[in-house]
Amino acid sequence: MLEPLLLGLSTGPSCMIFCGPVALPLFMSDMKEHRGQGAALLRFLTGRLIGYILAGFILGLTGQLLLNYLSPLVKDRFMLISYMLVGLMMLLRGLAFLPKEKGLCQKARKVMPQKRAELFLGLATGLNLCPPFLAMATRVTQGPVKGMFSFFLFFIGTSIYLVVLMLLPFLKKHKEALQGIGRITMLMMGGYFFFFLGILQLGRWQG
Amino acid sequence: MKKTSSALSIPQVLILLAIYILPLMFFGINAAGSGELPYALIYGLYLLTLLFLMFKTGKISKYRRIFFVSMALLFFPAFIHDLIIERGTMLIPQSTVVNNENPFCHIVIPITMIPMILKKMVIFPGRLMGHYTSIYSMLVIWVFMTISLGRGWCSWVCFYGGWDDGCSRISQKTKLHMDNRAPWIRNLPKAMLLFVVLGSLITLTSIYCEWLCPFKLITEFESPTNLRNTVALILMIVLFFGTLIILPILSRRRVNCGLLCPFGAMQGLIGSKIAPFKVKMDKSLCISCGQCEKHCPSFSMGKNIRSSCTLCGECIDLCPTGALDIHLRGKKRIFPKAPAFFKELLQPRNLFILAAFTGGTIISYSFAIHSLKLLVNLF
Ligand code: SF4
Ligand code: SF4
Ligand code: SF4
């Protein structure tokens, strides 16, 4: 029964390879105090949990059927869309930090406030078909409730590693610099996800 | 207060040159291949002359820059020639990627570190060892140079840095003002480092090499046979001319090295902490003339000297009061009680110049004489 938890614990570092590049600039760009950081991480994890529970429910319902249908091409397309969405959200959030009062920056502030970004980017990382996620998915076979429960345990296992983000407020001496670095990184990372991992790969869409 | 001259007397210069000649001869003779000895001698004499002038005039930056730019210009003919001999083209063939035979360059070091720790894998298709451009030999050189020179690497040793350093001094006037103190300028190098490190984790490939390296134009690049590679090629050309030539000429700053190179940012963070030599300001001598901030090519001078300082010597030469100098572990003089002759001779700035110039010599000798031979044969 504890297999998903152990799987999460053992594959957690690999999870960080995808979640880290999204979560680190997201949290650095805001640099909250301890309580605020705790709440922000909770929002991010809630989004991630929703993603996992959803995945557990669907996979539990369809069993291996869905996985069999998930050919490499379909997986590829799913990833492409997910990269573009993550990129778009990060770009909007990055733009929202720019000091311009009007135009795109103002719209970005409205569409993607920090709290929303934390929840939605968490959700996007929860639905990412990374190798640990797929390893977990192959183990879900016994109905939606068990599926959700397994993914919940997997979530616990992998999320433990994200707790390191609670260390950020300890760096408050460098708050201004870290915030600035986080904001620029956010824009760059958003552009990278959206353009280089998304748009430029659309040629692969046809297979 | 007027600056006291840092020029050395002829006997003092000769002692320092005598120390330098040992590694010069060792590496010069070692680096010379068949028929290359005359070129090794010419290059050796050239280096000796530059070092002589640096010590004799007490001006660091001018002669350093001549050395640094020649190193950059002499690097790529030999590199490209070797590539063409080895694989017949500057383009990266699939086989060298599959067989892990791409030359490894130091700029990728910060990008490969975290995947090495997390996944125990090297995310660059390079040789592990057994070649001068292999991963291990580059790592050894890096550790050694970082411990001794810190970010001084970026003004004395790197065979790429001469491009924007040289271009930053082509124009006498600044046509594009880039404010050293603007927060985005201060944060961009570290953001760039963080971005390429994190971005490379996602695909487990070096996204800097794939998309952002301007030096690919003068080393190796993928054939533009598909959309992805065509975009990469366009980006590479824009970055080469934009960040290494046009922007440095307009702004009189090293735009690539000061803002965009991830290795430079890492050297600033790590190297400046562990290396013994640093540029320090004696605030009691400073008259706030602003010359240092105005002319620092690396965006390293704000209210204080930043960790990104490449010890290029520009500000030291320009400061009218001598408020700036190179210190060794916080000391301006290491033998304050020694007789004046030795006190002057062994001041940290001279020891640093000797160490850094020797570092550049070791790195450049082989490709420089190879390129000289190629160029002479060409004409
Ligand atoms: S910043 Fe990069 S390219 Fe420039 S000198 Fe340093 S290592 Fe070389
Ligand atoms: S060059 Fe810089 S350190 Fe020297 S006097 Fe002027 S402001 Fe002060
Ligand atoms: S602070 Fe001075 S020595 Fe350092 S990079 Fe700037 S000009 Fe060169």
Side-chain angles (χ1 to χ4, degrees):
Chain A
M1 199 189 92
L2 285 180
E3 196 196 352
L5 181 71
L6 297 176
L7 185 72
L9 284 171
S10 63
T11 58
S14 294
C15 279
M16 290 311 104
I17 283 179
F18 185 79
C19 294
V22 177
L24 193 59
L26 175 71
F27 292 124
M28 268 174 75
S29 61
D30 210 35
M31 284 300 285
K32 296 183 173 77
E33 296 289 317
H34 290 278
R35 269 181 69 178
Q37 177 65 13
L41 189 60
L42 219 58
R43 274 188 292 276
F44 185 80
L45 289 176
T46 306
R48 209 159 162 263
L49 179 63
I50 295 172
Y52 278 0
I53 295 282
L54 211 68
F57 179 77
I58 297 171
L59 283 164
L61 207 65
T62 58
Q64 292 300 303
L65 210 69
L66 181 68
L67 276 184
N68 292 342
Y69 177 70
L70 268 184
S71 67
L73 183 65
V74 177
K75 265 185 243 163
D76 217 38
R77 286 180 185 174
F78 186 88
M79 288 298 287
L80 223 126
I81 297 171
S82 118
Y83 281 149
M84 280 166 69
L85 282 175
V86 169
L88 203 63
M89 286 193 268
M90 291 184 90
L91 270 177
L92 283 173
R93 195 58 218 141
L95 284 174
F97 284 121
L98 294 182
K100 260 183 98 177
E101 292 296 328
K102 283 186 190 150
L104 203 58
C105 303
Q106 190 202 27
K107 286 210 181 83
R109 275 190 283 276
K110 268 200 189 135
V111 182
M112 197 50 68
Q114 180 73 12
K115 287 182 182 167
R116 192 175 294 166
E118 286 155 3
L119 189 74
F120 278 88
L121 283 170
L123 179 67
T125 55
L127 286 174
N128 172 48
L129 300 183
C130 58
F133 181 99
L134 290 170
M136 180 61 222
T138 53
R139 287 167 169 79
V140 177
T141 48
Q142 301 149 314
V145 177
K146 278 211 164 157
M148 289 195 291
F149 185 63
S150 300
F151 259 93
F152 174 71
L153 289 179
F154 180 66
F155 163 81
I156 302 276
T158 52
S159 297
I160 285 172
Y161 296 92
L162 281 169
V163 175
V164 286
L165 290 166
M166 283 306 294
L167 297 176
L168 274 178
F170 287 105
L171 303 172
K172 67 172 176 229
K173 214 175 99 193
H174 308 284
K175 180 177 169 175
E176 219 175 291
L178 289 175
Q179 230 169 29
I181 295 166
R183 289 173 186 185
I184 302 175
T185 313
M186 187 87 161
L187 271 171
M188 291 178 173
M189 200 59 91
Y192 178 62
F193 271 112
F194 185 71
F195 186 70
F196 291 96
L197 293 179
I199 302 276
L200 267 188
Q201 312 293 334
L202 281 177
R204 298 206 322 242
W205 193 260
Q206 266 89 36
Chain B
M1 185 195 215
K2 215 173 161 302
K3 184 176 180 174
T4 49
S5 168
S6 308
L8 297 180
S9 66
I10 292 281
Q12 286 171 323
V13 176
L14 289 178
I15 292 176
L16 291 172
L17 291 189
I19 301 172
Y20 171 70
I21 263 180
L22 287 172
L24 180 77
M25 276 170 52
F26 178 75
F27 287 99
I29 292 167
N30 259 342
S34 70
E36 284 181 343
L37 205 57
Y39 303 99
L41 286 176
I42 294 171
Y43 189 58
L45 272 177
Y46 173 67
L47 295 180
L48 270 174
T49 312
L50 287 179
L51 195 57
F52 173 85
L53 290 169
M54 218 182 287
F55 286 135
K56 186 69 200 85
T57 59
K59 296 272 174 220
I60 306 174
S61 191
K62 181 173 161 193
Y63 301 108
R64 177 205 62 80
R65 186 167 287 115
I66 296 175
F67 165 58
F68 202 47
V69 171
S70 15
M71 200 192 324
L73 294 177
L74 287 171
F75 170 70
F76 74 97
F79 187 86
I80 295 170
H81 178 258
D82 280 0
L83 275 189
I84 291 177
I85 295 281
E86 199 177 310
R87 51 165 103 141
T89 171
M90 258 177 94
L91 299 174
I92 304 173
Q94 201 51 36
S95 60
T96 59
V97 179
V98 174
N99 299 330
N100 288 338
E101 284 174 351
N102 274 7
F104 183 80
C105 102
H106 55 280
I107 300 181
V108 207
I109 290 175
I111 301 163
T112 47
M113 276 181 177
I114 294 182
M116 245 188 229
I117 297 164
L118 279 183
K119 301 276 291 180
K120 314 261 176 304
M121 68 183 281
V122 182
I123 60 165
F124 185 89
R127 296 177 177 97
L128 266 186
M129 53 175 105
H131 195 271
Y132 71 98
T133 60
S134 68
I135 295 169
Y136 286 146
S137 45
M138 269 295 166
L139 283 176
V140 170
I141 292 171
W142 169 63
V143 169
F144 190 71
M145 293 287 176
T146 304
I147 292 170
S148 47
L149 306 176
R151 206 177 171 201
W153 167 283
C154 293
S155 270
W156 296 82
V157 183
C158 176
F159 38 79
Y160 292 133
W163 284 90
D164 62 358
D165 192 20
C167 289
S168 74
R169 286 302 173 271
I170 286 178
S171 166
Q172 292 300 310
K173 274 208 176 115
T174 308
K175 304 205 174 70
L176 174 74
H177 285 276
M178 294 180 93
D179 181 6
N180 254 351
R181 300 197 189 196
W184 75 268
I185 290 220
R186 277 205 319 263
N187 295 329
L188 184 57
K190 291 169 200 130
M192 185 72 184
L193 173 65
L194 186 63
F195 164 60
V196 292
V197 168
L198 293 178
S200 300
L201 280 179
I202 301 167
T203 51
L204 291 178
T205 55
S206 163
I207 64 166
Y208 183 79
C209 303
E210 285 179 342
W211 304 108
L212 302 168
C213 175
F215 301 107
K216 281 167 74 173
L217 193 67
I218 46 162
T219 52
E220 53 171 3
F221 50 89
E222 287 95 354
S223 162
T225 44
N226 53 31
L227 175 70
R228 182 197 171 281
N229 290 356
T230 311
V231 173
L233 185 76
I234 294 169
L235 256 179
M236 177 180 83
I237 295 170
V238 170
L239 287 169
F240 181 84
F241 288 103
T243 69
L244 295 177
I245 296 174
I246 300 169
L247 286 175
I249 292 176
L250 295 178
S251 64
R252 302 190 83 242
R253 307 266 195 214
R254 295 178 64 183
V255 174
N256 174 69
C257 297
L259 298 179
L260 302 171
C261 174
F263 184 90
M266 179 189 69
Q267 281 307 85
L269 288 173
I270 303 175
S272 69
K273 302 271 180 309
I274 52 181
F277 296 101
K278 277 187 187 62
V279 174
K280 295 245 177 206
M281 185 195 287
D282 182 344
K283 292 214 162 137
S284 67
L285 293 178
C286 173
I287 51 167
S288 302
C289 68
Q291 286 298 309
C292 49
E293 188 173 350
K294 188 173 164 206
H295 293 282
C296 170
S298 310
F299 305 92
S300 304
M301 188 65 90
K303 226 160 66 191
N304 296 304
I305 303 167
R306 296 181 188 144
S307 60
S308 59
C309 168
T310 62
L311 292 100
C312 71
E314 187 88 17
C315 58
I316 301 172
D317 291 349
L318 286 171
C319 176
T321 63
L324 293 156
D325 208 346
I326 295 173
H327 290 225
L328 177 68
R329 299 231 170 274
K331 291 195 180 109
K332 192 174 174 178
R333 292 282 184 274
I334 31 179
F335 301 111
K337 294 202 178 104
F341 181 88
F342 290 105
K343 202 164 74 180
E344 292 308 313
L345 179 77
L346 297 173
Q347 56 183 308
R349 67 140 67 198
N350 294 336
L351 299 183
F352 173 76
I353 293 171
L354 204 58
F357 205 76
T358 307
T361 303
I362 296 171
I363 293 290
S364 66
Y365 226 116
S366 172
F367 64 71
I369 56 176
H370 194 36
S371 284
L372 280 177
K373 188 180 169 192
L374 284 173
L375 293 173
V376 169
N377 287 347
L378 203 68
F379 300 109

